[in-house]
Amino acid sequence: MNEKLVIISTRLPVSVSRVDGELQFNASSGGLATGIDSLKKTPDSVWVGWPGIASDDLTRTEKKLIISELQKRECYPVFLTNDEIDKFYGGYSNSTLWPLFHYFPNEAKYEDSYWKTYQTVNAKFAKVAHTFASNNAKMWVHDYQLMLVPQILRKMDKDAAIGFFLHTPFPSFEIFRLIPEREALLEGLLGANLVGFHTYDYVRHFLSSVSKILGYENLLGTIKIGDRLVQTDAIPIGIDYKKFARGAKNRKVNSILKSFDLFNVKTKVILAVDRADYSKGIPARLDAFELFLENYPQHLKKAVLVLIAVPSRGDVDAYKELRATIEQKVSRINGRFSTTDWTPIAYRYQSLPFDELCALYALADVMLVTPLRDGMNLVAKEFVASKHKSNGVLVLSDMAGAATELPDAILVNPNNTQQVAGAIDLGLTMPNSEQKQRMKKMQARISEYTIEKWAGDFVTELTESVQKQKESPKQLSPKQRKTLLADYGQAKSRLILLDYDGTLKGFVNSLHERHSRPTDKVKKLLKSLTKDKKNKVIIISGRPRNALEKYFENKDLGLVAEHGGWVFDAGSWIKSSLTTKKWKKDLKPILEQFVARTAGSELEEKDFSFVWHYRRVSPDLAYVRKEELKRKLRATLATDDIGVFDGRKIVEIKPKRMNKGVIVSDLVAKNDWDFILAIGDDYTDEDMFVALPADAYSINVGKQTTNARFQLNCVDEVLELIKSLP
Ligand code: GDG
């Protein structure tokens, strides 16, 4: 990692607080903070984030002090007011997105002011981060609080290297679609070159929302938007394995344990450590523990549940209620089962120093990690790392991302109280040999896929995706462009073949011709091309002739409609001699039946073809119907001369001989051209490219595999090239 890495997250690894009037600087807590803390050690990395204290509570001098203190640790603050913290952090982030992303739609609050502040604060983060944008910096944006930052940064710098990692689950489309601002959030993320998630399920959910909400498809996880590629991948976060392995061996462990006068040595310890968050399933876990005490009385007085709930987001109502629920349940269970010398639950609502946390991991016989939903869950991995004798049992919810990596844990459904109660018993009675066997397998995985490996993998993938974006082997280079312009300048007779949709006009989400009219800019460019008498300029399109007639009044322009079905030359239209009556009659009822069965699809009938459009059909249904339709049509067709073709959100049925290649061969043979330029973007243009002589300038618009000699990225680049023709 030679270039600067700019880490952008809501919280900095250092938190500022005021104690007795004085500012204090402490390490931040929480999954993300502990998780990527080790990235600080990456040479030349800086961190942009909120320092944890409201700016209205600070004097100017204090702000300056914070800036200079943080700078010593390569941290750069984004100052937020009390109101911003309320609405952006407590509001949109933690009361709208967090509950939805963890499948708690009933907890979600939708407030306009939350969203407005979320936008303002995201822009603030991007602004500070952008100050580091020079010198090939890589920007790495973290988590659900900053989903708009990638797009804002992209607008500031179109070539920036931007990565985004989501630490929470990405919910299924059925949940994500509930968010009023769903489009803006997805567009925000798509500003990145790489969007990373913990598991492949989250990747799938994201891709499905992108496809269903924005209509962008992906190829093997890469989404193409105009000339940009956005890569997605599952890159599960790891932990600083050595830190926990060392921590658990610390000689202080024993003395720490003594200070926990809660246990006697003969008691087995069941441990649970989480932020006090409703996604962590603490009340359900207590229910399961109660059932365990009921169903397995042999463990009474022989086991203790040590339940550590770390205070979190205490100002949000749902969290206050959660704390009350937990405490009621703990009191009730302790009241019901306690004896004079034994209390079943040792509960603490507090954050523990690192040493104590490690001591507890080292001591625990069974670790209970039973979130209802969790992006990953680092506690499970930290427990595994702490077991240097490979004893101990991990009971893990299969709703946590960590479950995909730790199949050797006892996996449970946290809503299945019976199952969790049974798993606790199983854990307490598991033979040592089996404990070791399972633990060793988990340790092998966790010790290899560490936090450093995760960060390294992410940055490497980001570098590769930026590289992929830059390079396209057929991209028209400045040198080739210069030669093209020089050849054009010297030529006396030139043939210029231009496809229309996707070449001179961007893809429009409607098949109605009025939505696809050429812009004035295009008309002007064509006018100046046709004014030059050395040029023969032909629009060669799949559109019907009446559409092309309406679009282009320029009489000097040649027009080819329906891929060659109609040719307009010297003032009149000439029709192809191919007949269509019979096959069209056979296929029409099938196509009409599919339109009726597939809401959102439309049938376009042209003189020589049918086109079934499915751009407005939900992508999953469209895929199934499309394949079914193609099978049915092919089975019905009595002749080999008619082809069924897959296009851009269309299925087209037309005579095989009616293709741009046939007409282009005729046009090429008609004259001794000194210069030929052909530009097109889709599969129908490939026939045209193949039919051209080897020295013709054939240009494909896009990044797909092509028979053209060169490629341009988008319509704007095509127009720019045409404009630059001398
Ligand atoms: C989010 C996602 C994802 C906990 N109590 C104490 C303490 N901790 C530390 C643990 C662990 C971290 O906090 C908690 O991490 P989790 O992963 O369990 O959960 P979230 O905070 O919800 O984190 C989560 C994570 O981001 C990373 O991507 O795994 O799914 O929700 O590191 O050790 N640390 C100390 N005392 C405590 O009392 N010192």
Side-chain angles (χ1 to χ4, degrees), residues 30-32 34 98 167 198 237 244 273 275 280 308 310 350-354 357 361 374-379 382:
L32 175 59
T34 49
W98 178 273
H167 291 263
H198 285 308
I237 195 170
F244 285 91
V273 181
R275 265 190 319 102
K280 304 287 181 184
I308 311 289
V310 182
Q350 70 171 86
S351 173
L352 302 175
F354 178 73
L357 179 69
Y361 284 150
D374 214 334
M376 169 55 73
N377 195 291
L378 298 178
V379 167
E382 292 164 4

PDB file of all heavy atoms in Angstrom, residues 30-32 34 98 167 198 237 244 273 275 280 308 310 350-354 357 361 374-379 382, ligand 1:
ATOM      1  N   GLY A  30     -16.600  -0.527  20.205  1.00  0.00           N
ATOM      2  CA  GLY A  30     -17.549  -0.956  19.165  1.00  0.00           C
ATOM      3  C   GLY A  30     -16.853  -1.744  18.080  1.00  0.00           C
ATOM      4  O   GLY A  30     -15.620  -1.719  17.958  1.00  0.00           O
ATOM      5  N   GLY A  31     -17.657  -2.486  17.317  1.00  0.00           N
ATOM      6  CA  GLY A  31     -17.138  -3.425  16.328  1.00  0.00           C
ATOM      7  C   GLY A  31     -16.231  -2.781  15.297  1.00  0.00           C
ATOM      8  O   GLY A  31     -15.118  -3.243  15.047  1.00  0.00           O
ATOM      9  N   LEU A  32     -16.702  -1.671  14.726  1.00  0.00           N
ATOM     10  CA  LEU A  32     -15.925  -1.046  13.656  1.00  0.00           C
ATOM     11  C   LEU A  32     -14.621  -0.487  14.206  1.00  0.00           C
ATOM     12  O   LEU A  32     -13.553  -0.674  13.634  1.00  0.00           O
ATOM     13  CB  LEU A  32     -16.761   0.051  12.997  1.00  0.00           C
ATOM     14  CG  LEU A  32     -16.043   0.871  11.944  1.00  0.00           C
ATOM     15  CD1 LEU A  32     -15.539  -0.025  10.831  1.00  0.00           C
ATOM     16  CD2 LEU A  32     -16.961   1.931  11.381  1.00  0.00           C
ATOM     17  N   THR A  34     -12.876  -1.307  16.966  1.00  0.00           N
ATOM     18  CA  THR A  34     -11.870  -2.319  17.316  1.00  0.00           C
ATOM     19  C   THR A  34     -11.425  -3.047  16.043  1.00  0.00           C
ATOM     20  O   THR A  34     -10.271  -3.394  15.891  1.00  0.00           O
ATOM     21  CB  THR A  34     -12.398  -3.363  18.323  1.00  0.00           C
ATOM     22  OG1 THR A  34     -13.645  -3.840  17.857  1.00  0.00           O
ATOM     23  CG2 THR A  34     -12.543  -2.782  19.695  1.00  0.00           C
ATOM     24  N   TRP A  98     -30.497   1.406  10.729  1.00  0.00           N
ATOM     25  CA  TRP A  98     -30.073   0.255  11.567  1.00  0.00           C
ATOM     26  C   TRP A  98     -31.217  -0.752  11.775  1.00  0.00           C
ATOM     27  O   TRP A  98     -31.045  -1.949  11.506  1.00  0.00           O
ATOM     28  CB  TRP A  98     -29.488   0.743  12.896  1.00  0.00           C
ATOM     29  CG  TRP A  98     -29.089  -0.385  13.802  1.00  0.00           C
ATOM     30  CD1 TRP A  98     -29.899  -1.032  14.696  1.00  0.00           C
ATOM     31  CD2 TRP A  98     -27.809  -1.038  13.874  1.00  0.00           C
ATOM     32  NE1 TRP A  98     -29.198  -2.038  15.338  1.00  0.00           N
ATOM     33  CE2 TRP A  98     -27.916  -2.068  14.851  1.00  0.00           C
ATOM     34  CE3 TRP A  98     -26.593  -0.860  13.224  1.00  0.00           C
ATOM     35  CZ2 TRP A  98     -26.843  -2.893  15.180  1.00  0.00           C
ATOM     36  CZ3 TRP A  98     -25.530  -1.685  13.558  1.00  0.00           C
ATOM     37  CH2 TRP A  98     -25.653  -2.690  14.517  1.00  0.00           C
ATOM     38  N   HIS A 167     -20.704  -2.767   7.253  1.00  0.00           N
ATOM     39  CA  HIS A 167     -20.447  -3.656   8.394  1.00  0.00           C
ATOM     40  C   HIS A 167     -21.704  -4.368   8.890  1.00  0.00           C
ATOM     41  O   HIS A 167     -21.617  -5.321   9.644  1.00  0.00           O
ATOM     42  CB  HIS A 167     -19.799  -2.862   9.530  1.00  0.00           C
ATOM     43  CG  HIS A 167     -18.405  -2.441   9.202  1.00  0.00           C
ATOM     44  ND1 HIS A 167     -17.302  -3.136   9.617  1.00  0.00           N
ATOM     45  CD2 HIS A 167     -17.937  -1.427   8.435  1.00  0.00           C
ATOM     46  CE1 HIS A 167     -16.217  -2.554   9.145  1.00  0.00           C
ATOM     47  NE2 HIS A 167     -16.572  -1.507   8.426  1.00  0.00           N
ATOM     48  N   HIS A 198     -19.899  -8.424   4.215  1.00  0.00           N
ATOM     49  CA  HIS A 198     -19.333  -9.544   4.964  1.00  0.00           C
ATOM     50  C   HIS A 198     -19.613 -10.892   4.297  1.00  0.00           C
ATOM     51  O   HIS A 198     -18.794 -11.799   4.351  1.00  0.00           O
ATOM     52  CB  HIS A 198     -19.944  -9.611   6.367  1.00  0.00           C
ATOM     53  CG  HIS A 198     -19.425  -8.559   7.309  1.00  0.00           C
ATOM     54  ND1 HIS A 198     -18.086  -8.357   7.517  1.00  0.00           N
ATOM     55  CD2 HIS A 198     -20.068  -7.670   8.106  1.00  0.00           C
ATOM     56  CE1 HIS A 198     -17.929  -7.383   8.414  1.00  0.00           C
ATOM     57  NE2 HIS A 198     -19.122  -6.955   8.778  1.00  0.00           N
ATOM     58  N   ILE A 237     -14.809  -9.505   7.416  1.00  0.00           N
ATOM     59  CA  ILE A 237     -13.827  -8.876   8.321  1.00  0.00           C
ATOM     60  C   ILE A 237     -13.262  -9.923   9.286  1.00  0.00           C
ATOM     61  O   ILE A 237     -13.959 -10.867   9.680  1.00  0.00           O
ATOM     62  CB  ILE A 237     -14.481  -7.716   9.113  1.00  0.00           C
ATOM     63  CG1 ILE A 237     -13.432  -6.815   9.767  1.00  0.00           C
ATOM     64  CG2 ILE A 237     -15.451  -8.222  10.159  1.00  0.00           C
ATOM     65  CD1 ILE A 237     -14.011  -5.524  10.353  1.00  0.00           C
ATOM     66  N   PHE A 244      -5.713 -10.994  20.700  1.00  0.00           N
ATOM     67  CA  PHE A 244      -6.597 -11.728  21.619  1.00  0.00           C
ATOM     68  C   PHE A 244      -5.919 -12.978  22.167  1.00  0.00           C
ATOM     69  O   PHE A 244      -6.086 -13.319  23.335  1.00  0.00           O
ATOM     70  CB  PHE A 244      -7.937 -12.039  20.955  1.00  0.00           C
ATOM     71  CG  PHE A 244      -8.795 -10.817  20.875  1.00  0.00           C
ATOM     72  CD1 PHE A 244      -8.762  -9.989  19.769  1.00  0.00           C
ATOM     73  CD2 PHE A 244      -9.592 -10.445  21.951  1.00  0.00           C
ATOM     74  CE1 PHE A 244      -9.517  -8.825  19.714  1.00  0.00           C
ATOM     75  CE2 PHE A 244     -10.350  -9.285  21.919  1.00  0.00           C
ATOM     76  CZ  PHE A 244     -10.311  -8.479  20.787  1.00  0.00           C
ATOM     77  N   VAL A 273     -21.327 -11.509  25.640  1.00  0.00           N
ATOM     78  CA  VAL A 273     -20.866 -10.108  25.635  1.00  0.00           C
ATOM     79  C   VAL A 273     -21.415  -9.436  24.390  1.00  0.00           C
ATOM     80  O   VAL A 273     -21.138  -9.887  23.266  1.00  0.00           O
ATOM     81  CB  VAL A 273     -19.315 -10.026  25.563  1.00  0.00           C
ATOM     82  CG1 VAL A 273     -18.845  -8.581  25.576  1.00  0.00           C
ATOM     83  CG2 VAL A 273     -18.663 -10.813  26.680  1.00  0.00           C
ATOM     84  N   ARG A 275     -22.927  -5.379  22.683  1.00  0.00           N
ATOM     85  CA  ARG A 275     -23.474  -4.043  22.860  1.00  0.00           C
ATOM     86  C   ARG A 275     -24.948  -4.253  23.193  1.00  0.00           C
ATOM     87  O   ARG A 275     -25.587  -5.166  22.640  1.00  0.00           O
ATOM     88  CB  ARG A 275     -23.379  -3.261  21.552  1.00  0.00           C
ATOM     89  CG  ARG A 275     -22.157  -2.391  21.456  1.00  0.00           C
ATOM     90  CD  ARG A 275     -22.171  -1.449  20.278  1.00  0.00           C
ATOM     91  NE  ARG A 275     -22.677  -2.055  19.055  1.00  0.00           N
ATOM     92  CZ  ARG A 275     -23.886  -1.863  18.576  1.00  0.00           C
ATOM     93  NH1 ARG A 275     -24.755  -1.095  19.226  1.00  0.00           N
ATOM     94  NH2 ARG A 275     -24.268  -2.432  17.456  1.00  0.00           N
ATOM     95  N   LYS A 280     -29.040  -7.887  18.987  1.00  0.00           N
ATOM     96  CA  LYS A 280     -28.168  -8.913  19.570  1.00  0.00           C
ATOM     97  C   LYS A 280     -28.951 -10.032  20.256  1.00  0.00           C
ATOM     98  O   LYS A 280     -28.367 -11.005  20.738  1.00  0.00           O
ATOM     99  CB  LYS A 280     -27.176  -8.289  20.556  1.00  0.00           C
ATOM    100  CG  LYS A 280     -26.308  -7.176  19.958  1.00  0.00           C
ATOM    101  CD  LYS A 280     -25.239  -7.697  19.002  1.00  0.00           C
ATOM    102  CE  LYS A 280     -24.379  -6.561  18.449  1.00  0.00           C
ATOM    103  NZ  LYS A 280     -23.400  -6.995  17.460  1.00  0.00           N
ATOM    104  N   ILE A 308     -22.676  -9.666  29.893  1.00  0.00           N
ATOM    105  CA  ILE A 308     -22.149  -8.299  29.852  1.00  0.00           C
ATOM    106  C   ILE A 308     -22.887  -7.556  28.741  1.00  0.00           C
ATOM    107  O   ILE A 308     -22.808  -7.944  27.571  1.00  0.00           O
ATOM    108  CB  ILE A 308     -20.632  -8.285  29.523  1.00  0.00           C
ATOM    109  CG1 ILE A 308     -19.845  -9.273  30.397  1.00  0.00           C
ATOM    110  CG2 ILE A 308     -20.072  -6.865  29.602  1.00  0.00           C
ATOM    111  CD1 ILE A 308     -19.696  -8.894  31.836  1.00  0.00           C
ATOM    112  N   VAL A 310     -22.957  -4.035  26.973  1.00  0.00           N
ATOM    113  CA  VAL A 310     -22.169  -2.804  26.904  1.00  0.00           C
ATOM    114  C   VAL A 310     -23.093  -1.650  26.514  1.00  0.00           C
ATOM    115  O   VAL A 310     -23.773  -1.721  25.482  1.00  0.00           O
ATOM    116  CB  VAL A 310     -21.031  -2.961  25.866  1.00  0.00           C
ATOM    117  CG1 VAL A 310     -20.176  -1.707  25.813  1.00  0.00           C
ATOM    118  CG2 VAL A 310     -20.190  -4.178  26.193  1.00  0.00           C
ATOM    119  N   GLN A 350     -22.149  -2.576  31.543  1.00  0.00           N
ATOM    120  CA  GLN A 350     -20.946  -1.728  31.535  1.00  0.00           C
ATOM    121  C   GLN A 350     -19.970  -2.204  30.461  1.00  0.00           C
ATOM    122  O   GLN A 350     -20.080  -3.320  29.951  1.00  0.00           O
ATOM    123  CB  GLN A 350     -20.249  -1.804  32.896  1.00  0.00           C
ATOM    124  CG  GLN A 350     -19.594  -3.163  33.138  1.00  0.00           C
ATOM    125  CD  GLN A 350     -18.716  -3.177  34.369  1.00  0.00           C
ATOM    126  OE1 GLN A 350     -19.203  -3.403  35.464  1.00  0.00           O
ATOM    127  NE2 GLN A 350     -17.423  -2.942  34.190  1.00  0.00           N
ATOM    128  N   SER A 351     -19.051  -1.326  30.126  1.00  0.00           N
ATOM    129  CA  SER A 351     -17.990  -1.709  29.202  1.00  0.00           C
ATOM    130  C   SER A 351     -16.801  -2.168  30.037  1.00  0.00           C
ATOM    131  O   SER A 351     -16.511  -1.587  31.080  1.00  0.00           O
ATOM    132  CB  SER A 351     -17.617  -0.490  28.364  1.00  0.00           C
ATOM    133  OG  SER A 351     -16.502  -0.788  27.600  1.00  0.00           O
ATOM    134  N   LEU A 352     -16.143  -3.235  29.611  1.00  0.00           N
ATOM    135  CA  LEU A 352     -15.025  -3.766  30.394  1.00  0.00           C
ATOM    136  C   LEU A 352     -13.707  -3.327  29.788  1.00  0.00           C
ATOM    137  O   LEU A 352     -13.597  -3.206  28.565  1.00  0.00           O
ATOM    138  CB  LEU A 352     -15.040  -5.309  30.360  1.00  0.00           C
ATOM    139  CG  LEU A 352     -16.285  -6.014  30.867  1.00  0.00           C
ATOM    140  CD1 LEU A 352     -16.130  -7.513  30.631  1.00  0.00           C
ATOM    141  CD2 LEU A 352     -16.463  -5.725  32.352  1.00  0.00           C
ATOM    142  N   PRO A 353     -12.678  -3.145  30.611  1.00  0.00           N
ATOM    143  CA  PRO A 353     -11.350  -2.908  30.042  1.00  0.00           C
ATOM    144  C   PRO A 353     -10.933  -4.145  29.237  1.00  0.00           C
ATOM    145  O   PRO A 353     -11.391  -5.260  29.535  1.00  0.00           O
ATOM    146  CB  PRO A 353     -10.449  -2.721  31.265  1.00  0.00           C
ATOM    147  CG  PRO A 353     -11.361  -2.595  32.434  1.00  0.00           C
ATOM    148  CD  PRO A 353     -12.688  -3.170  32.072  1.00  0.00           C
ATOM    149  N   PHE A 354     -10.084  -3.938  28.256  1.00  0.00           N
ATOM    150  CA  PHE A 354      -9.672  -5.027  27.363  1.00  0.00           C
ATOM    151  C   PHE A 354      -9.168  -6.257  28.123  1.00  0.00           C
ATOM    152  O   PHE A 354      -9.547  -7.392  27.819  1.00  0.00           O
ATOM    153  CB  PHE A 354      -8.608  -4.500  26.391  1.00  0.00           C
ATOM    154  CG  PHE A 354      -8.067  -5.539  25.467  1.00  0.00           C
ATOM    155  CD1 PHE A 354      -8.833  -6.023  24.418  1.00  0.00           C
ATOM    156  CD2 PHE A 354      -6.787  -6.067  25.660  1.00  0.00           C
ATOM    157  CE1 PHE A 354      -8.339  -7.012  23.571  1.00  0.00           C
ATOM    158  CE2 PHE A 354      -6.284  -7.046  24.816  1.00  0.00           C
ATOM    159  CZ  PHE A 354      -7.068  -7.514  23.772  1.00  0.00           C
ATOM    160  N   LEU A 357     -11.978  -8.273  29.505  1.00  0.00           N
ATOM    161  CA  LEU A 357     -12.705  -8.966  28.441  1.00  0.00           C
ATOM    162  C   LEU A 357     -11.959 -10.247  28.064  1.00  0.00           C
ATOM    163  O   LEU A 357     -12.545 -11.337  27.971  1.00  0.00           O
ATOM    164  CB  LEU A 357     -12.844  -8.037  27.228  1.00  0.00           C
ATOM    165  CG  LEU A 357     -13.562  -8.593  26.020  1.00  0.00           C
ATOM    166  CD1 LEU A 357     -15.050  -8.787  26.317  1.00  0.00           C
ATOM    167  CD2 LEU A 357     -13.401  -7.670  24.809  1.00  0.00           C
ATOM    168  N   TYR A 361     -13.040 -14.225  28.262  1.00  0.00           N
ATOM    169  CA  TYR A 361     -13.000 -15.145  27.109  1.00  0.00           C
ATOM    170  C   TYR A 361     -12.212 -16.397  27.493  1.00  0.00           C
ATOM    171  O   TYR A 361     -12.601 -17.525  27.183  1.00  0.00           O
ATOM    172  CB  TYR A 361     -12.304 -14.503  25.911  1.00  0.00           C
ATOM    173  CG  TYR A 361     -13.095 -13.466  25.137  1.00  0.00           C
ATOM    174  CD1 TYR A 361     -12.435 -12.419  24.477  1.00  0.00           C
ATOM    175  CD2 TYR A 361     -14.482 -13.545  25.020  1.00  0.00           C
ATOM    176  CE1 TYR A 361     -13.133 -11.472  23.734  1.00  0.00           C
ATOM    177  CE2 TYR A 361     -15.181 -12.592  24.281  1.00  0.00           C
ATOM    178  CZ  TYR A 361     -14.500 -11.562  23.641  1.00  0.00           C
ATOM    179  OH  TYR A 361     -15.186 -10.638  22.912  1.00  0.00           O
ATOM    180  N   ASP A 374     -26.865 -10.093  12.708  1.00  0.00           N
ATOM    181  CA  ASP A 374     -25.592  -9.438  12.936  1.00  0.00           C
ATOM    182  C   ASP A 374     -24.795  -9.480  11.639  1.00  0.00           C
ATOM    183  O   ASP A 374     -24.716 -10.536  11.002  1.00  0.00           O
ATOM    184  CB  ASP A 374     -24.827 -10.193  14.041  1.00  0.00           C
ATOM    185  CG  ASP A 374     -23.999  -9.259  14.898  1.00  0.00           C
ATOM    186  OD1 ASP A 374     -23.617  -8.196  14.396  1.00  0.00           O
ATOM    187  OD2 ASP A 374     -23.748  -9.602  16.069  1.00  0.00           O
ATOM    188  N   GLY A 375     -24.242  -8.320  11.254  1.00  0.00           N
ATOM    189  CA  GLY A 375     -23.471  -8.268  10.009  1.00  0.00           C
ATOM    190  C   GLY A 375     -22.417  -9.361  10.009  1.00  0.00           C
ATOM    191  O   GLY A 375     -22.347 -10.201   9.111  1.00  0.00           O
ATOM    192  N   MET A 376     -21.575  -9.350  11.060  1.00  0.00           N
ATOM    193  CA  MET A 376     -20.555 -10.384  11.202  1.00  0.00           C
ATOM    194  C   MET A 376     -20.613 -10.978  12.606  1.00  0.00           C
ATOM    195  O   MET A 376     -21.038 -12.069  12.834  1.00  0.00           O
ATOM    196  CB  MET A 376     -19.161  -9.780  10.917  1.00  0.00           C
ATOM    197  CG  MET A 376     -17.993 -10.670  11.268  1.00  0.00           C
ATOM    198  SD  MET A 376     -18.057 -12.280  10.482  1.00  0.00           S
ATOM    199  CE  MET A 376     -17.669 -11.898   8.809  1.00  0.00           C
ATOM    200  N   ASN A 377     -20.205 -10.210  13.590  1.00  0.00           N
ATOM    201  CA  ASN A 377     -20.035 -10.514  15.015  1.00  0.00           C
ATOM    202  C   ASN A 377     -18.601 -10.906  15.313  1.00  0.00           C
ATOM    203  O   ASN A 377     -18.125 -12.003  15.025  1.00  0.00           O
ATOM    204  CB  ASN A 377     -20.970 -11.596  15.561  1.00  0.00           C
ATOM    205  CG  ASN A 377     -20.952 -11.535  17.091  1.00  0.00           C
ATOM    206  OD1 ASN A 377     -19.945 -11.855  17.709  1.00  0.00           O
ATOM    207  ND2 ASN A 377     -22.026 -11.053  17.664  1.00  0.00           N
ATOM    208  N   LEU A 378     -17.907  -9.930  15.875  1.00  0.00           N
ATOM    209  CA  LEU A 378     -16.489 -10.111  16.180  1.00  0.00           C
ATOM    210  C   LEU A 378     -16.275 -10.855  17.491  1.00  0.00           C
ATOM    211  O   LEU A 378     -15.262 -11.534  17.666  1.00  0.00           O
ATOM    212  CB  LEU A 378     -15.801  -8.741  16.245  1.00  0.00           C
ATOM    213  CG  LEU A 378     -15.833  -7.950  14.943  1.00  0.00           C
ATOM    214  CD1 LEU A 378     -15.171  -6.592  15.121  1.00  0.00           C
ATOM    215  CD2 LEU A 378     -15.131  -8.714  13.814  1.00  0.00           C
ATOM    216  N   VAL A 379     -17.249 -10.727  18.416  1.00  0.00           N
ATOM    217  CA  VAL A 379     -17.103 -11.378  19.720  1.00  0.00           C
ATOM    218  C   VAL A 379     -16.880 -12.885  19.536  1.00  0.00           C
ATOM    219  O   VAL A 379     -16.012 -13.488  20.180  1.00  0.00           O
ATOM    220  CB  VAL A 379     -18.344 -11.072  20.591  1.00  0.00           C
ATOM    221  CG1 VAL A 379     -18.390 -11.978  21.801  1.00  0.00           C
ATOM    222  CG2 VAL A 379     -18.327  -9.613  21.025  1.00  0.00           C
ATOM    223  N   GLU A 382     -13.351 -13.418  18.515  1.00  0.00           N
ATOM    224  CA  GLU A 382     -12.401 -13.091  19.581  1.00  0.00           C
ATOM    225  C   GLU A 382     -12.347 -14.218  20.617  1.00  0.00           C
ATOM    226  O   GLU A 382     -11.272 -14.559  21.120  1.00  0.00           O
ATOM    227  CB  GLU A 382     -12.814 -11.772  20.259  1.00  0.00           C
ATOM    228  CG  GLU A 382     -12.643 -10.571  19.335  1.00  0.00           C
ATOM    229  CD  GLU A 382     -13.379  -9.316  19.795  1.00  0.00           C
ATOM    230  OE1 GLU A 382     -13.976  -9.338  20.885  1.00  0.00           O
ATOM    231  OE2 GLU A 382     -13.361  -8.321  19.056  1.00  0.00           O
TER     232      GLU A 382
HETATM  233  C1  GDG B   1     -20.612  -3.911  13.806  1.00  0.00           C
HETATM  234  C2  GDG B   1     -21.586  -4.945  13.231  1.00  0.00           C
HETATM  235  C3  GDG B   1     -19.657  -6.439  12.741  1.00  0.00           C
HETATM  236  C4  GDG B   1     -17.638  -5.428  23.315  1.00  0.00           C
HETATM  237  N1  GDG B   1     -17.758  -5.276  24.618  1.00  0.00           N
HETATM  238  C5  GDG B   1     -16.606  -4.806  25.074  1.00  0.00           C
HETATM  239  C6  GDG B   1     -15.736  -4.673  24.026  1.00  0.00           C
HETATM  240  N2  GDG B   1     -16.400  -5.053  22.940  1.00  0.00           N
HETATM  241  C7  GDG B   1     -15.855  -5.103  21.584  1.00  0.00           C
HETATM  242  C8  GDG B   1     -15.695  -6.539  21.166  1.00  0.00           C
HETATM  243  C9  GDG B   1     -15.833  -6.447  19.660  1.00  0.00           C
HETATM  244  C10 GDG B   1     -16.736  -5.244  19.466  1.00  0.00           C
HETATM  245  O1  GDG B   1     -16.757  -4.519  20.673  1.00  0.00           O
HETATM  246  C11 GDG B   1     -18.171  -5.642  19.127  1.00  0.00           C
HETATM  247  O2  GDG B   1     -18.205  -6.049  17.801  1.00  0.00           O
HETATM  248  P1  GDG B   1     -19.381  -6.873  17.135  1.00  0.00           P
HETATM  249  O3  GDG B   1     -18.925  -7.360  15.841  1.00  0.00           O
HETATM  250  O4  GDG B   1     -19.742  -7.952  18.068  1.00  0.00           O
HETATM  251  O5  GDG B   1     -20.625  -5.880  17.034  1.00  0.00           O
HETATM  252  P2  GDG B   1     -20.979  -4.346  16.574  1.00  0.00           P
HETATM  253  O6  GDG B   1     -20.446  -3.363  17.541  1.00  0.00           O
HETATM  254  O7  GDG B   1     -22.435  -4.357  16.409  1.00  0.00           O
HETATM  255  O8  GDG B   1     -20.236  -4.126  15.176  1.00  0.00           O
HETATM  256  C12 GDG B   1     -21.021  -6.323  13.421  1.00  0.00           C
HETATM  257  C13 GDG B   1     -18.752  -5.295  13.178  1.00  0.00           C
HETATM  258  O9  GDG B   1     -19.386  -4.027  13.021  1.00  0.00           O
HETATM  259  C14 GDG B   1     -17.457  -5.289  12.365  1.00  0.00           C
HETATM  260  O10 GDG B   1     -17.701  -5.262  10.998  1.00  0.00           O
HETATM  261  O11 GDG B   1     -19.061  -7.654  13.127  1.00  0.00           O
HETATM  262  O12 GDG B   1     -21.890  -7.273  12.865  1.00  0.00           O
HETATM  263  O13 GDG B   1     -22.857  -4.829  13.867  1.00  0.00           O
HETATM  264  O14 GDG B   1     -14.606  -6.202  19.069  1.00  0.00           O
HETATM  265  O15 GDG B   1     -14.466  -6.982  21.599  1.00  0.00           O
HETATM  266  N3  GDG B   1     -14.481  -4.253  24.146  1.00  0.00           N
HETATM  267  C15 GDG B   1     -14.067  -3.926  25.394  1.00  0.00           C
HETATM  268  N4  GDG B   1     -14.865  -4.003  26.455  1.00  0.00           N
HETATM  269  C16 GDG B   1     -16.126  -4.429  26.368  1.00  0.00           C
HETATM  270  O16 GDG B   1     -16.863  -4.487  27.343  1.00  0.00           O
HETATM  271  N5  GDG B   1     -12.801  -3.514  25.550  1.00  0.00           N
END
